[in-house]
Amino acid sequence: MNETFAFTIKSTGFDEDYRPSDNTRITTNFANLARGEKRQENLRNTLKMINNRFNTLAHWDNPEGDRYRVELDIISVEMALDATRPDNALPLIEILKTRIIDLNTDTSIEGIAGNNFSSYVRDYDFSVRLQAHNRGKPGFSVPENFGELHGNLFKRFVNSSVYRSHFNKPPVICISVSSSKTYHRTDNHHPVLGIEYRQDEYSLTDEYFQKMGLKVRYFMPKGSVAPLAFYFFGDLLNDYTNLELISTISTMDTFQRIYRPEIYNANCAAEKTWQPSLEHQDYSLTRIVYDREERSRLGIEQGRFVEEHFIKPYQALLEQWFLADAR
C-alpha cells in the first residue's frame, strides 16, 4: 500500500484573520470559531487567552508575564490513494502545530504537532458506523475491527517521510477527558503538566487512540480545574521540553474552556475522585461564541461524506491492505 498512496501536507496560519477554506473540515473546532459575525473577535480573544495562559505557566525570567507569544498553524493532511494522481487526494486529518515566539530574544522555538485532532474517518466511525451498529439494540457494543482502519492510516502518516520532513518529534494530542469515567488523583506531580490523575478502565476514545499507537496519561496543570487527556508516543515527560509542553497546555486548555465550559471552566477544581459531566451547572462562560450543536450535526454529515467518497469506493483495496498487514 505504501506504493499506491501518498500523503501531502498543507499549512494555514491560525490568527485573527483566519478564514476556513472551502475544503476545511467544518466540524473542526477552530473553523467553528472563525465563522459568523463575531469571528474576528472570537479569534482575537482565543489567541489572547492562549498567550496569557502560556506566560502564566512559563513564569521564570518573565516578570511582566508578556515574554512569549504562541503562533498556531493548522496542518491539513490529504491522502492520494494513487500516488501518481495527487489531484485525486482525499482530506484525512487536521492537527495544530504550535510555535513559540520569545519576544525578549526575538527567536522562534518549535512547538508540538498534534494538539487538536480532527479526522474524517473518525467522524465516520463514531457518527455513522457506531450509531448504525447500535441502532435498535438494547445494549451498547462496538463493531468488529472498530477503529483499525483509522489507526492504521494514522500510524502510516506518522511513520511517513512526509511527516518526518515537516516535524522533528512525534505528535501529542490533547483533548477532554471522558465524561463516562471516574478519575483518581495520584501523588505524582510534574512541574509543568501538573497533578496526574488515573482511571480504572479506558474509555472508548482511549481505546480508539490506542489503535492509533498512542498511550494516554491524564494531567491537571496548575491553574486548570480539570485534567486533560494527553495521547502520545514514547515518553511524554521526557521527550518534550517544558516550553513545548506549555504550548500544548495553553492552546488546548483554552480551547476546552471554550468548548466544554461545564468541565474546564467550572468554578471549582476536580476533587481527588472526580467524574466530569456536561450537566454540571456551576461554571462560567467565556465571551467566545461556539456552536456545539452545529458541530455534532456536521459530524454526521461529514461522516457520511467519507463513507461515500472513501470507505465504499475503496473497500476492496482497504481489505487487501488489512490482509497484507496481518501477514
Side-chain angles (χ1 to χ4, degrees):
M1 185 106 180
N2 278 332
E3 298 176 356
T4 61
F5 76 100
F7 295 108
T8 57
I9 287 178
K10 297 178 181 178
S11 179
T12 304
F14 180 71
D15 54 28
E16 65 180 57
D17 297 317
Y18 166 68
R19 291 182 181 272
S21 64
D22 292 338
N23 60 353
T24 294
R25 289 186 65 253
I26 49 178
T27 60
T28 303
N29 292 324
F30 34 81
N32 188 296
L33 296 176
R35 294 200 304 277
E37 296 180 359
K38 300 279 189 178
R39 56 167 302 279
Q40 193 164 51
E41 183 180 345
N42 276 349
L43 296 171
R44 187 180 298 119
N45 288 338
T46 298
L47 295 168
K48 184 176 181 180
M49 286 175 65
I50 292 171
N51 288 330
N52 289 343
R53 186 77 174 104
F54 188 100
N55 281 287
T56 297
L57 289 169
H59 53 79
W60 58 92
D61 291 337
N62 189 7
E64 303 299 323
D66 59 0
R67 177 170 178 171
Y68 300 101
R69 184 179 75 245
V70 178
E71 294 183 350
L72 299 171
D73 288 323
I74 301 168
I75 307 299
S76 302
V77 182
E78 295 182 345
M79 184 182 74
L81 285 162
D82 183 350
T84 65
R85 293 189 57 198
D87 60 315
N88 200 31
L90 294 163
L92 190 64
I93 63 175
E94 284 186 328
I95 56 177
L96 286 176
K97 173 69 167 58
T98 60
R99 182 170 51 255
I100 305 141
I101 307 301
D102 187 335
L103 300 174
N104 282 11
T105 61
D106 195 26
T107 55
S108 175
I109 304 164
E110 286 300 304
I112 294 177
N115 302 286
N116 189 90
F117 180 77
S118 188
S119 163
Y120 268 108
V121 179
R122 187 172 70 162
D123 277 347
Y124 163 73
D125 278 338
F126 279 91
S127 298
V128 177
R129 188 182 179 202
L130 188 63
Q131 289 190 18
H133 176 78
N134 285 283
R135 190 172 294 121
K137 295 181 179 178
F140 178 84
S141 63
V142 175
E144 185 179 2
N145 300 324
F146 184 72
E148 289 187 10
L149 169 62
H150 183 267
N152 284 334
L153 288 170
F154 181 77
K155 286 184 284 188
R156 292 290 182 108
F157 167 61
V158 172
N159 291 323
S160 69
S161 59
V162 172
Y163 183 92
R164 293 193 298 271
S165 68
H166 283 80
F167 310 111
N168 297 324
K169 294 183 180 182
V172 175
I173 297 167
C174 179
I175 63 174
S176 171
V177 290
S178 172
S179 58
S180 68
K181 301 301 176 185
T182 299
Y183 297 82
H184 307 277
R185 189 186 303 171
T186 73
D187 293 330
N188 191 35
H189 189 281
H190 185 270
V192 168
L193 292 166
I195 302 169
E196 184 166 21
Y197 277 73
R198 289 180 182 161
Q199 48 144 300
D200 296 331
E201 60 178 345
Y202 285 148
S203 67
L204 181 58
T205 297
D206 293 337
E207 293 174 348
Y208 194 82
F209 277 73
Q210 189 176 44
K211 292 184 179 180
M212 296 161 60
L214 296 165
K215 296 176 283 188
V216 64
R217 293 178 76 167
Y218 317 95
F219 285 93
M220 184 168 72
K222 184 177 180 181
S224 299
V225 297
L228 294 158
F230 294 85
Y231 297 90
F232 59 94
F233 298 96
D235 186 340
L236 176 67
L237 275 62
N238 293 304
D239 290 347
Y240 303 91
T241 67
N242 285 344
L243 291 182
E244 287 173 338
L245 292 173
I246 291 172
S247 71
T248 288
I249 294 167
S250 59
T251 299
M252 297 313 300
D253 187 61
T254 294
F255 281 148
Q256 295 301 342
R257 288 173 191 256
I258 299 167
Y259 306 151
R260 288 181 169 82
E262 300 92 336
I263 297 173
Y264 289 95
N265 215 31
N267 293 326
C268 56
E271 303 291 343
K272 290 183 178 179
T273 300
W274 172 78
Q275 183 176 2
S277 173
L278 291 174
E279 303 301 319
H280 184 67
Q281 296 297 310
D282 186 17
Y283 65 94
S284 300
L285 290 172
T286 67
R287 297 178 62 185
I288 297 168
V289 179
Y290 174 72
D291 192 335
R292 195 157 62 190
E293 291 184 5
E294 179 195 49
R295 184 177 183 273
S296 298
R297 175 177 55 81
L298 293 175
I300 297 173
E301 293 179 11
Q302 295 191 159
R304 289 173 178 158
F305 170 88
V306 78
E307 180 182 34
E308 178 183 353
H309 295 279
F310 178 62
I311 302 296
K312 288 182 176 179
Y314 300 104
Q315 185 172 3
L317 179 60
L318 296 171
E319 289 177 353
Q320 182 182 11
W321 176 27
F322 278 128
L323 289 174
D325 277 358
R327 293 191 185 105

